[in-house]
Amino acid sequence: MSLRLEAFAKVNRSLLVLGRRSDGFHELRTLFETIDLSDVLTFEEAPELSLACSDGDLSVGEDNLVLGAAHALLAASGTSRGASIHLEKRIPWGAGLGGGSADAAATLLGLRALWRLDLSDGALHELASALGSDVPFFLVGGRALGEGRGERLTALPDPDEPEWIVLLSPPFGLPTPAVFARLGLTPGQATTNLPGSDSEPFPDRNDLEQAAESLRGELRILRSALSSAGATSARLSGSGSSVFGVFASRESALQGAARLGAVPEGTRIRVVPTIARRDFQARAFPRR
Ligand code: C5P
């Protein structure tokens, strides 16, 4: 038996940092949204566990979250199984788009099905949360609120029509811990960044932007290029390095992308719609 799954990227439409916890993580309130940019994973039965990747620069060792997810499943189910996994990498990594987390979630779903493991969705969520703060979101998809480290999720209704995203990925990544560290919060320290009022639960802001832009000034240039090109919101995604602009239609997004002017050399420009939960789950989940 073999299985093929798409692992979609996300953007953070809003990201508030509420403080630093005593465990060192930051307390967040974020609005996630899946976008139509995906990696493709195939899982085949095999005697041993192995991972191959289309991108030779990406590690296929134990530090790859795909293998981390496979080992977590084996440990939780108390079995010893093998699989040959292939990862076609299309989501830029170190880019704040959750690519590694999406791959890990796809692996949990894919191998649970391939190995016919008797593990509940709740158990899978627990494993996802231990693998990384963003991983549980990719078991839900669409538009969702993330709280805590980002792993406590509430699914939200999707917009009636997809939004259109102009996604700018510069030719460098940003390490998430370095960006959070730049905030300079001590464990237990709250910020003055209060969540929005009820009328605006998701303010148009990302509290990691300044930190990321102080590490790479090019990111500020990319964001203002998107604003000048007509984006209704121009934000950093997660801890970067990707920056995105929101547009109401495909046409306006294409026009905006054409109007961007000079962007730092090597920046990849993509125009993609957001993906509603129903479509996400149809393409990202194994058929039952
Ligand atoms: O959970 P994950 O492994 O993706 O987090 C990577 C790093 O990002 C953490 O080690 C921490 O430095 C930072 N982080 C954080 N607060 C969060 C999420 C991530 O400080 N809510």
Side-chain angles (χ1 to χ4, degrees), residues 24-28 101 129 131-134 148-150 176-178 180:
F25 280 91
H26 291 75
E27 187 72 14
L28 305 181
S101 301
S129 160
L131 286 165
S133 306
D134 284 351
R149 285 187 290 128
T176 303
F180 274 104

Side-chain angles (χ1 to χ4, degrees), residues 179-193:
V179 177
F180 274 104
R182 193 83 174 187
L183 295 175
L185 298 171
T186 53
Q189 185 182 351
T191 63
T192 51
N193 294 332

Side-chain angles (χ1 to χ4, degrees), residues 92-116:
W93 34 286
L97 300 173
S101 301
D103 296 341
T107 303
L108 292 176
L109 290 165
L111 291 181
R112 177 175 69 170
L114 189 79
W115 292 337
R116 296 186 182 83

Side-chain angles (χ1 to χ4, degrees), residues 22-288:
S22 48
D23 64 4
F25 280 91
H26 291 75
E27 187 72 14
L28 305 181
R29 180 180 161 84
T30 187
L31 181 62
F32 289 113
E33 226 162 72
T34 34
I35 59 171
D36 195 1
L37 169 65
S38 61
D39 291 340
V40 179
L41 289 102
T42 50
F43 305 91
E44 279 180 55
E45 279 171 319
E48 304 287 333
L49 190 59
S50 67
L51 172 63
C53 180
S54 60
D55 182 342
D57 291 336
L58 193 64
S59 161
V60 288
E62 295 297 321
D63 54 337
N64 191 306
L65 273 188
V66 167
L67 289 182
H71 288 303
L73 266 184
L74 290 174
S77 56
T79 53
S80 162
R81 309 285 289 271
S84 160
I85 308 173
H86 184 267
L87 168 59
E88 186 187 334
K89 197 73 198 156
R90 305 193 296 204
I91 305 172
W93 34 286
L97 300 173
S101 301
D103 296 341
T107 303
L108 292 176
L109 290 165
L111 291 181
R112 177 175 69 170
L114 189 79
W115 292 337
R116 296 186 182 83
L117 300 177
D118 187 19
L119 272 181
S120 67
D121 288 348
L124 222 56
H125 187 104
E126 290 293 313
L127 297 182
S129 160
L131 286 165
S133 306
D134 284 351
V135 182
F137 167 67
F138 295 102
L139 298 174
V140 175
R143 176 180 276 195
L145 161 69
E147 294 175 291
R149 285 187 290 128
E151 89 289 11
R152 254 183 24 236
L153 289 166
T154 309
L156 299 173
D158 289 306
D160 294 337
E161 296 291 329
E163 291 177 304
W164 283 82
I165 303 292
V166 175
L167 182 66
L168 305 183
S169 304
F172 54 83
L174 273 180
T176 303
V179 177
F180 274 104
R182 193 83 174 187
L183 295 175
L185 298 171
T186 53
Q189 185 182 351
T191 63
T192 51
N193 294 332
L194 298 173
S197 65
D198 285 346
S199 61
E200 187 43 273
F202 300 111
D204 185 7
R205 79 180 207 238
N206 177 339
D207 292 339
L208 296 174
E209 243 159 35
Q210 265 194 349
E213 289 174 359
S214 73
L215 291 167
R216 296 300 301 234
E218 302 95 313
L219 298 178
R220 197 184 304 276
I221 298 169
L222 289 179
R223 234 160 34 80
S224 56
L226 284 165
S227 298
S228 307
T232 55
S233 166
R235 299 261 73 98
L236 183 77
S237 184
S239 57
S241 59
S242 289
V243 167
F244 65 96
V246 181
F247 292 82
S249 66
R250 180 169 183 270
E251 291 64 37
S252 59
L254 288 171
Q255 278 166 14
R259 241 189 270 130
L260 276 175
V263 291
E265 202 182 325
T267 300
R268 175 86 195 255
I269 305 172
R270 293 178 176 86
V271 176
V272 293
T274 55
I275 294 270
R277 182 166 310 106
R278 192 184 50 244
D279 300 333
F280 168 85
Q281 294 190 351
R283 288 166 67 182
F285 286 9
R287 294 212 175 80
R288 290 180 186 260

